[in-house]
Amino acid sequence: MPVTINQIAELAGVSKGTVDRVLNNRGNVSKDIEARVRQIAKELNYKPNLMAKSLALRKKAPKIGVVFHVKNNFFIEQVKLGVQAATEELVDYGITVISYYSRNFDVDDQLALIDRLLEEGVSALAITPINEQPVIDRIDELIDQKFPVFCFINDIKTRNPHIFIGIDAYQTGGITAGLFHMISSGEEKLAIVSPGMKMLGHVQRIEGLKDTLKKWYPKITMAGVCEIPLNDIEIYKTVKYFFQEHQEITSLWYATSLSNGGIVALKELNLLYKIKIICIDLQNFTREGLEEGYIYATINQKPYKQGYETIKMIFNYLLTGELTEFTHTIESEIVIRENMPR
């Protein structure tokens, strides 16, 4: 016989309504009682009636809010395709997704979009959080209020435990260090071209690379980090000036979406086939570089999958009230010319 909420309530010494609030994450229950109810439900192997829950969910017609950290970005548009695909699969459950793009790395705008989505009545929030204290504090406030927040693509460090869906950025840096060791010809001077450090993932992948080089590959030393803006003309100027100032560079990790500005700067300096280049992701410029042979490899962060699985994970939470994991790691992929998806 299936275990009922009434049985759990009787064993926990609480009302049926209290058990319902705990199992559906509705709050207003003390931590001790919540822990006791969850433990009893686990011991009895309680399984919710998913058919009934799906009908109830359809009647509620829940909204999922999504906030990105930038606009007009190749990677984010690939994530958005995954979000859209998952949303289309869930249309029969009454799920709708509302997506907003923050002005590029604009903390105030991201905070305003969070509030806007809450005013629109979203039942859960997926956010690519800017790693600034006001955003971190706002997310902590929502978690304190038992509001479901799912960080995805980039993580942050909050006071409360929180959910993250995305790649392991630190590990990505370590993998890249290993790749450079494999293609090196002895001592190397390695440079990194990276977006700004307002995203924790950007910081973590550089830390992962540096720590791995120091531990295992001391012959590869850092020549510097070139932080680039978002405007392609400014990228061109920034990259060109950086390499003119650092002519000792023999290897480059282009740790962001490769743009026309970056390619033109390297081409004008006759560096495309002279230095060893590894990239991130699989936009058209990277594909061309792999085909032509001046890019050795790229790390595919699987943006489509990050968007798709985030929405599916939120849906499962809205349906069951349960979380099976707080960190859902999307495995990245090393891509070379020979295994590049067509």
Side-chain angles (χ1 to χ4, degrees), residues 112-282:
L113 291 176
I114 293 171
D115 291 339
R116 180 175 174 179
L117 285 167
L118 294 174
E119 290 171 2
E120 293 185 32
V122 297
S123 302
L125 175 68
I127 182 169
T128 305
I130 300 167
N131 190 37
E132 297 280 351
Q133 201 59 50
V135 174
I136 295 169
D137 290 343
R138 186 71 179 101
I139 289 174
D140 264 322
E141 288 173 6
L142 291 172
I143 296 172
D144 284 337
Q145 297 163 13
K146 305 291 186 182
F147 188 86
V149 179
F150 294 72
C151 296
F152 76 127
I153 305 172
N154 260 281
D155 203 3
I156 51 173
K157 293 181 179 178
T158 54
R159 168 173 43 83
N160 291 305
H162 68 272
I163 304 149
F164 172 66
I165 305 104
I167 67 160
D168 184 330
Y170 185 88
Q171 183 188 61
T172 298
I175 291 169
T176 305
L179 288 174
F180 275 113
H181 169 71
M182 292 172 68
I183 64 175
S184 70
S185 53
E187 293 187 355
E188 299 281 351
K189 284 290 185 180
L190 172 63
I192 302 173
V193 171
S194 174
M197 298 299 125
K198 283 193 173 184
M199 308 303 288
L200 182 59
H202 299 167
V203 176
Q204 289 175 330
R205 61 192 181 200
I206 291 175
E207 289 176 347
L209 178 131
K210 287 182 175 180
D211 288 350
T212 304
L213 292 180
K214 183 178 179 181
K215 182 176 181 180
W216 297 111
Y217 314 120
K219 288 186 177 181
I220 304 175
T221 56
M222 292 298 303
V225 177
C226 173
E227 292 186 31
I228 58 172
L230 292 169
N231 178 278
D232 204 36
I233 294 173
E234 294 303 316
I235 290 173
Y236 162 78
K237 293 177 181 178
T238 303
V239 171
K240 188 168 185 178
Y241 176 79
F242 178 82
F243 278 87
Q244 286 173 329
E245 292 296 305
H246 294 274
Q247 297 188 22
E248 75 279 13
I249 293 169
T250 61
S251 297
L252 167 64
W253 185 22
Y254 208 100
T256 185
S257 295
L258 188 59
S259 69
N260 184 61
I263 284 288
V264 171
L266 295 171
K267 186 179 292 185
E268 287 183 2
L269 295 170
N270 296 315
L271 292 174
L272 284 185
Y273 292 94
K274 185 178 179 180
I275 63 175
K276 304 172 181 72
I277 303 174
I278 292 175
C279 291
I280 284 246
D281 296 322
L282 268 170

Side-chain angles (χ1 to χ4, degrees), residues 54-70:
S54 65
L55 291 172
L57 190 67
R58 189 182 305 169
K59 289 180 181 178
K60 291 179 182 177
K63 303 173 186 176
I64 299 171
V66 178
V67 179
F68 296 108
H69 62 300
V70 291

